[in-house]
Amino acid sequence: DLLLLLLTPLGFLPSFMLEEEEEKVEEKAADQSEAPVASRAVEAVAGSHWNDEYGPLGYGSFNCVCCNAWLLLLLLPTLFLLLVAPGLELEHGGTLTRAALALFGLSALFFCLVSNTNPGVAPRTAPYIVGGREQGFEHPGEAYSYCQDSNRYVRGFDHSCDFVGNDIGDGNMHYFVGFLLSLASFATFLTACCVLSVYEMAAPPGPTLALEHDPLKMTIALLLLVLVFFCFRGCARSEACEGVLPLIMLMPGAVAGAWLLALVTATLVVMPLVTDMWADVRPSHNPAALFLILPYLAFAVLFFGMAAHWVHLLCAGLSQKLWLRSRGYRRQRNRASQSGDALV
């Protein structure tokens, strides 16, 4: 559930609610993309964009979701550098900080590549002739599938990703997987650094983090846990969540990741109330590291699971849509999820 809450505002989840006319266009394009190459007497979708309309690095689109993704990518290292790195540098020097910046640079590089490079947009085809008159262009062939989000045919089309602002196809799939792996590694490294910082807060000499046996605070912590549980339960049953949650749980490691995130969430709720973590705040004793574990861990679990998923699809020769169909998954009609990403 927490994973869902983190991703929904970013538009990284699939869009399940499409209007009837959009469904018809997609089905028509899918039927056309299955036509034999030899016939070539099939008309492409009217108004489609072709490869010659783009520059070398101009295939992506900058939208609100992509802007939020860039802000998120900048926020991850900024919080670490401001709140966690100063304390770690006192004990370990600048090695951990430099490693974090290197992983951030690698993630940003893959993000730029997958966002701007050619996903496999079809070259402009011959005119489609009917009765001696040109009426659009011919279908580019069975290797290309039509994407209604970008209004273009893409070779080996997998999905359209608002998070990176580009379609994902044969031309940039390797960059997409590299982005998932690098971002997952970056989030994992930041998680490990935060865990190390929290451990050193409680480790001898000291310890600098001790339990407070206060019945009132423990009761408040228990009530907060119950409240958080009902909040997540309500989110899972809401109209916006129930359409996308089943898809999230299909990802590799989703069940184990959900339990892990639940455990970390419970820790974050309880520890501030039953410990003296706020008694002595300084660079080497900053409780902020504890609260950063949750978002960093959430992204690590998510992106490693997604990377494993797409590597599996590549090895099996499947697209995201075919894989979902093989699992018996059907797209839900939920108007609240229109703003999401079209993974299917």
Side-chain angles (χ1 to χ4, degrees):
D1 299 338
L2 181 59
L3 193 61
L4 183 64
L5 287 173
L6 286 169
L7 291 177
T8 301
L10 298 175
F12 212 90
L13 296 178
S15 172
F16 296 100
M17 178 57 202
L18 297 175
E19 299 295 341
E20 289 294 336
E21 291 301 319
E22 293 177 337
E23 287 267 339
K24 293 178 181 178
V25 171
E26 181 179 326
E27 290 172 2
K28 177 183 176 182
D31 292 340
Q32 290 181 352
S33 59
E34 294 175 358
V37 179
S39 70
R40 300 292 290 176
V42 178
E43 183 183 7
V45 175
S48 299
H49 298 297
W50 305 97
N51 188 39
D52 57 8
E53 300 177 30
Y54 301 94
L57 293 175
Y59 291 88
S61 60
F62 192 77
N63 51 51
C64 180
V65 174
C66 188
C67 179
N68 288 337
W70 269 108
L71 292 176
L72 173 68
L73 196 61
L74 293 173
L75 183 63
L76 290 176
T78 300
L79 292 175
F80 173 79
L81 293 174
L82 292 177
L83 302 175
V84 182
L88 292 176
E89 289 181 358
L90 293 176
E91 298 290 335
H92 307 281
T95 303
L96 295 177
T97 302
R98 289 191 293 270
L101 291 175
L103 287 172
F104 166 72
L106 184 63
S107 301
L109 174 62
F110 275 116
F111 191 24
C112 291
L113 289 173
V114 72
S115 296
N116 297 287
T117 54
N118 183 6
V121 178
R124 191 180 299 273
T125 57
Y128 183 72
I129 308 297
V130 177
R133 300 180 60 182
E134 295 185 7
Q135 295 187 3
F137 296 90
E138 293 183 357
H139 190 281
E142 62 180 0
Y144 294 88
S145 297
Y146 178 75
C147 173
Q148 63 178 6
D149 295 314
S150 59
N151 192 28
R152 58 192 183 186
Y153 287 89
V154 178
R155 184 180 182 88
F157 175 72
D158 187 85
H159 69 281
S160 181
C161 184
D162 282 342
F163 191 82
V164 300
N166 201 359
D167 300 324
I168 306 299
D170 285 350
N172 62 354
M173 175 60 78
H174 51 298
Y175 293 141
F176 179 68
V177 175
F179 169 64
L180 296 178
L181 288 172
S182 61
L183 188 55
S185 300
F186 179 45
T188 301
F189 183 80
L190 296 184
T191 303
C193 288
C194 290
V195 171
L196 176 62
S197 179
V198 173
Y199 169 78
E200 291 180 344
M201 287 171 55
T208 58
L209 186 64
L211 291 176
E212 293 183 343
H213 301 284
D214 188 332
L216 177 60
K217 290 184 176 180
M218 290 183 178
T219 302
I220 294 175
L222 181 61
L223 292 176
L224 284 177
L225 278 179
V226 175
L227 178 62
V228 170
F229 168 77
F230 279 104
C231 287
F232 284 165
R233 185 170 176 263
C235 174
R237 295 186 175 185
S238 67
E239 184 181 4
C241 296
E242 64 183 4
V244 294
L245 188 58
L247 181 62
I248 289 292
M249 299 312 294
L250 286 175
M251 293 293 170
V255 175
W259 280 105
L260 181 60
L261 292 176
L263 178 62
V264 174
T265 302
T267 303
L268 292 181
V269 172
V270 172
M271 282 195 66
L273 292 170
V274 301
T275 66
D276 62 347
M277 60 188 303
W278 301 105
D280 183 22
V281 178
R282 58 182 186 273
S284 60
H285 185 279
N286 192 343
L290 175 67
F291 296 95
L292 289 176
I293 290 176
L294 183 60
Y296 291 159
L297 180 62
F299 280 102
V301 172
L302 168 71
F303 287 107
F304 266 129
M306 294 183 66
H309 172 68
W310 262 280
V311 168
H312 165 71
L313 293 184
L314 289 174
C315 294
L318 296 173
S319 67
Q320 172 78 347
K321 181 180 292 185
L322 290 177
W323 179 80
L324 290 174
R325 288 177 179 175
S326 70
R327 300 293 295 267
Y329 186 83
R330 299 295 298 174
R331 183 164 49 195
Q332 303 292 322
R333 292 187 175 277
N334 185 351
R335 185 172 298 275
S337 64
Q338 276 186 331
S339 62
D341 179 26
L343 283 183
V344 290

